[in-house]
Amino acid sequence: MRVMCIKAILDVTTFLAWSSYPYQDEMRVMGIKAILVLTLCFGFASYSKRLRWAPLKSQRIVLDVVN
């Protein structure tokens, strides 16, 4: 009997939490998608930066000093 009462209390509190903000699950999924897209964009940007600047970073600076 006591276990059923505790279960009923937990069910009521869960329902009250859901009814206070019913769109929380949808917003959580949207947030996860946004973080995934931003991570992919950041990865692509850093990779393209590496490809663009790699030839310039690998060059050596040679100074021709005429005496």
Side-chain angles (χ1 to χ4, degrees):
M1 182 72 175
R2 183 169 170 86
V3 174
M4 290 173 47
C5 183
I6 293 174
K7 178 67 174 161
I9 291 171
L10 288 176
D11 287 343
V12 169
T13 56
T14 303
F15 172 73
L16 288 175
W18 176 81
S19 64
S20 66
Y21 202 62
Y23 300 110
Q24 183 176 7
D25 294 335
E26 294 174 14
M27 292 182 72
R28 183 180 300 135
V29 171
M30 189 180 300
I32 290 171
K33 288 179 183 178
I35 289 173
L36 179 66
V37 167
L38 289 174
T39 303
L40 290 174
C41 289
F42 178 74
F44 177 72
S46 63
Y47 183 71
S48 64
K49 175 196 168 288
R50 173 176 273 190
L51 286 179
R52 179 170 296 178
W53 290 97
L56 294 175
K57 289 181 84 170
S58 63
Q59 290 179 353
R60 292 189 177 258
I61 298 174
V62 178
L63 296 176
D64 290 332
V65 178
V66 179
N67 289 333

